[in-house]
Amino acid sequence: MIWLVYRFWGNTLFSQLAEPVLVFPSIDNTFWLFHVLNIPAFISQHQFVATIFDLLLFFFPILFIKTQNKWFAVAYTLLITTYHIVFATYAAHHFHSLMGLIIISITFWTADEARHQRLWEAARYYFLFVMASAALWKLFRGAPFQPDQMVNILKAQHAQYLAEHGTIGLGAFYHYLIQNTAIAQGFYWLAIVLELAFLVGFFTKKWDKLLLLFFFTFIITNYFVMGIFSFELSIFGILLWL
Amino acid sequence: MNKTYLGKLLEYDKPLFVVIILFMLGQLFFTIKGVETFPFLNYGMYSKKMPACDSQTVYQLTICGQRVNITSLTDCEKDITLNSIQQYDQVKQSNGKEKEEEVIDHRFKGKVSESALVGIKAKLLNSPSAIERYPKWLMKYLADMRMVNSSTLNLSKSTLLYDSKGNATISSPVTIGEYAEQ
């Protein structure tokens, strides 16, 4: 629900896309299938259909909570997946931010409590994989060993912001990091350490609360250093809490 | 008794065990291939070695004579606005040629009929008319948000250059797209 308000406020629900014209399905086979079947175009070019889909995004979770009927959970997963593909297609970037909602919604596909618990555990492992693999990608590609890696990332990431706002407010912080290679690189290593810590979760649940703290540290740091607001991804945190 | 998660699944819930194993194999396959096919995603953001980024393209958006700071939009709006502007700019620069076309050819050429291939490309790539209509869409998308009635839009780009101390200078803007409501 909060997610829906966030998207509504961000003017990016199905019905708010204003019939977009440029597509970017990238080279993802699943995206291609959706496009060949004309699904994103059909939804986004018909305001009535888009509005119905928005309403269903709102009502499916309510109906599931009210009835505990697993088919509402299945329908919600399919709908949110469709939204994920439609938004990424028109926002010209393959975001991962909705994966938390998608994965967690799958755990409600069953009425059997024991199987729900097993799916919940699988979702927790998936989250651990998300974080740990992000660190491993960086390490195996050797990026952290390139001294100006983070400065180069920041120069690209914040160019638009610096052009529009100059070096005031957050711009001053970005500018400071760009000028101080070692500190910037320190943040890159901090991200790797925080992400890599999630490997522990594959062997024990004893440290889940600490990992949760690491996760929120990561999200907050990501916001201030990279300007990325990972609000939607934060739902993954519930897997370490419950 | 095997106390691992997969061991317990194998013992108590074989169908779920099969699903999880298949998912893991799918994830492994696409990770090794280095491409994403939803739901098999690779979380390698910012893991590529970044080359020097001292020259960056930045965009200026003016609606009804008023400058719109793209990075002041909400996060979702910023994502869709800035990324689509970048895509529009790139597609225009390459005269409508998109690099995805090579991948489509690689995956489908010789495997489907020529007419089917044309149909697939029409669904996956941007037509010249879609590219032409982009400034109008951008106007509509942003105007809807702001309840603007009459409308003109100017989209331009500049080069932002970082000097050796990390200070930025911006070149004069060049218009890349315009729209005026009739």
Side-chain angles (χ1 to χ4, degrees), chain A residues 4-13 16 229, chain B residues 74-75 77:
Chain A
L4 210 58
V5 172
Y6 173 71
R7 286 278 165 171
F8 175 72
W9 173 60
N11 285 296
T12 45
L13 288 176
Q16 295 174 303
F229 187 43
Chain B
T74 66
D75 281 88
E77 287 165 352

Side-chain angles (χ1 to χ4, degrees), chain B residues 12-182:
Chain B
Y12 300 114
D13 198 338
K14 285 195 177 56
L16 187 57
F17 174 82
V18 172
V19 170
I20 299 278
I21 291 293
L22 287 176
F23 184 84
M24 287 168 70
L25 290 174
Q27 182 65 56
L28 186 67
F29 175 75
F30 286 105
T31 300
I32 290 168
K33 279 202 91 173
V35 292
E36 289 190 336
T37 287
F38 183 89
F40 308 109
L41 306 184
N42 293 328
Y43 292 88
M45 300 80 75
Y46 305 104
S47 65
K48 268 189 192 161
K49 283 186 181 174
M50 280 289 273
C53 295
D54 291 332
S55 171
Q56 294 292 318
T57 301
V58 293
Y59 299 92
Q60 292 88 33
L61 183 59
T62 309
I63 293 180
C64 302
Q66 278 194 317
R67 179 80 177 267
V68 175
N69 278 342
I70 301 167
T71 54
S72 296
L73 299 171
T74 66
D75 281 88
C76 301
E77 287 165 352
K78 183 182 73 183
D79 287 338
I80 199 166
T81 304
L82 187 55
N83 292 335
S84 66
I85 289 173
Q86 285 168 340
Q87 190 198 11
Y88 169 72
D89 184 25
Q90 281 164 15
V91 178
K92 262 190 93 168
Q93 270 190 68
S94 59
N95 292 317
K97 188 88 183 154
E98 294 174 72
K99 58 181 188 299
E100 285 77 12
E101 191 169 356
E102 284 173 30
V103 185
I104 297 170
D105 283 336
H106 174 71
R107 288 184 187 168
F108 291 108
K109 215 167 192 172
K111 293 167 192 157
V112 297
S113 68
E114 270 305 308
S115 61
L117 186 62
V118 170
I120 290 168
K121 284 186 180 177
K123 302 269 188 192
L124 302 180
L125 301 171
N126 292 294
S127 66
S129 92
I131 298 163
E132 201 178 305
R133 282 182 287 132
Y134 175 75
K136 183 181 178 183
W137 170 78
L138 187 60
M139 175 74 235
K140 191 179 167 199
Y141 177 66
L142 293 169
D144 276 359
M145 263 186 242
R146 284 166 184 72
M147 312 291 178
V148 174
N149 295 324
S150 70
S151 30
T152 57
L153 175 142
N154 179 278
L155 182 59
S156 58
K157 70 172 178 179
S158 312
T159 302
L160 181 143
L161 287 172
Y162 291 101
D163 66 17
S164 57
K165 289 178 180 167
N167 297 313
T169 51
I170 305 168
S171 69
S172 303
V174 179
T175 296
I176 58 168
E178 278 181 306
Y179 176 72
E181 210 158 81
Q182 304 290 313

Side-chain angles (χ1 to χ4, degrees), chain A residues 19-90:
Chain A
E19 298 168 30
V21 290
L22 292 187
V23 298
F24 179 70
S26 188
I27 55 170
D28 184 312
N29 289 312
T30 310
F31 277 58
W32 284 14
L33 180 66
F34 266 68
H35 279 270
V36 168
L37 296 174
N38 217 30
I39 295 169
F42 179 74
I43 298 170
S44 65
Q45 304 302 321
H46 296 89
Q47 196 62 17
F48 178 72
V49 178
T51 307
I52 295 289
F53 273 59
D54 282 343
L55 290 172
L56 292 177
L57 277 173
F58 179 75
F59 282 112
F60 278 155
I62 292 176
L63 288 169
F64 173 73
I65 292 165
K66 283 257 182 207
T67 65
Q68 293 294 307
N69 184 328
K70 66 180 179 184
W71 294 108
F72 286 122
V74 174
Y76 183 71
T77 306
L78 295 177
L79 191 59
I80 197 94
T81 298
T82 305
Y83 177 80
H84 167 84
I85 291 173
V86 169
F87 177 71
T89 287
Y90 297 118

Side-chain angles (χ1 to χ4, degrees), chain A residues 48-235:
Chain A
F48 178 72
V49 178
T51 307
I52 295 289
F53 273 59
D54 282 343
L55 290 172
L56 292 177
L57 277 173
F58 179 75
F59 282 112
F60 278 155
I62 292 176
L63 288 169
F64 173 73
I65 292 165
K66 283 257 182 207
T67 65
Q68 293 294 307
N69 184 328
K70 66 180 179 184
W71 294 108
F72 286 122
V74 174
Y76 183 71
T77 306
L78 295 177
L79 191 59
I80 197 94
T81 298
T82 305
Y83 177 80
H84 167 84
I85 291 173
V86 169
F87 177 71
T89 287
Y90 297 118
H93 184 75
H94 273 211
F95 297 96
H96 296 159
S97 53
L98 291 175
M99 283 310 285
L101 269 178
I102 293 170
I103 295 290
I104 289 174
S105 68
I106 292 172
T107 68
F108 297 100
W109 280 17
T110 175
D112 177 350
E113 180 55 29
R115 181 172 277 180
H116 166 71
Q117 284 305 325
R118 289 179 204 121
L119 282 168
W120 189 265
E121 214 169 326
R124 177 182 167 277
Y125 281 121
Y126 183 80
F127 173 44
L128 297 172
F129 160 76
V130 168
M131 297 302 288
S133 70
L136 296 174
W137 274 102
K138 292 183 185 82
L139 289 169
F140 284 125
R141 283 177 158 175
F145 309 107
Q146 178 174 280
D148 56 356
Q149 169 75 4
M150 189 60 177
V151 164
N152 290 339
I153 289 173
L154 291 170
K155 281 179 176 175
Q157 182 81 2
H158 297 308
Q160 186 71 34
Y161 187 94
L162 291 170
E164 291 181 341
H165 299 274
T167 52
I168 50 166
L170 268 177
F173 182 53
Y174 299 153
H175 187 232
Y176 173 80
L177 290 177
I178 287 169
Q179 288 181 316
N180 292 276
T181 310
I183 295 172
Q185 195 70 359
F187 276 110
Y188 195 71
W189 273 105
L190 174 68
I192 292 172
V193 169
L194 291 174
E195 290 166 344
L196 204 58
F198 281 74
L199 280 176
V200 174
F202 284 101
F203 304 101
T204 176
K205 288 182 180 170
K206 222 168 38 182
W207 303 104
D208 276 11
K209 298 291 184 289
L210 184 65
L211 291 180
L212 188 62
L213 180 70
F214 282 8
F215 181 48
F216 283 104
T217 305
F218 176 83
I219 284 179
I220 292 165
T221 311
N222 210 17
Y223 177 73
F224 284 107
V225 176
M226 295 294 288
I228 296 171
F229 187 43
S230 314
F231 160 73
E232 290 165 321
L233 211 58
S234 66
I235 194 168

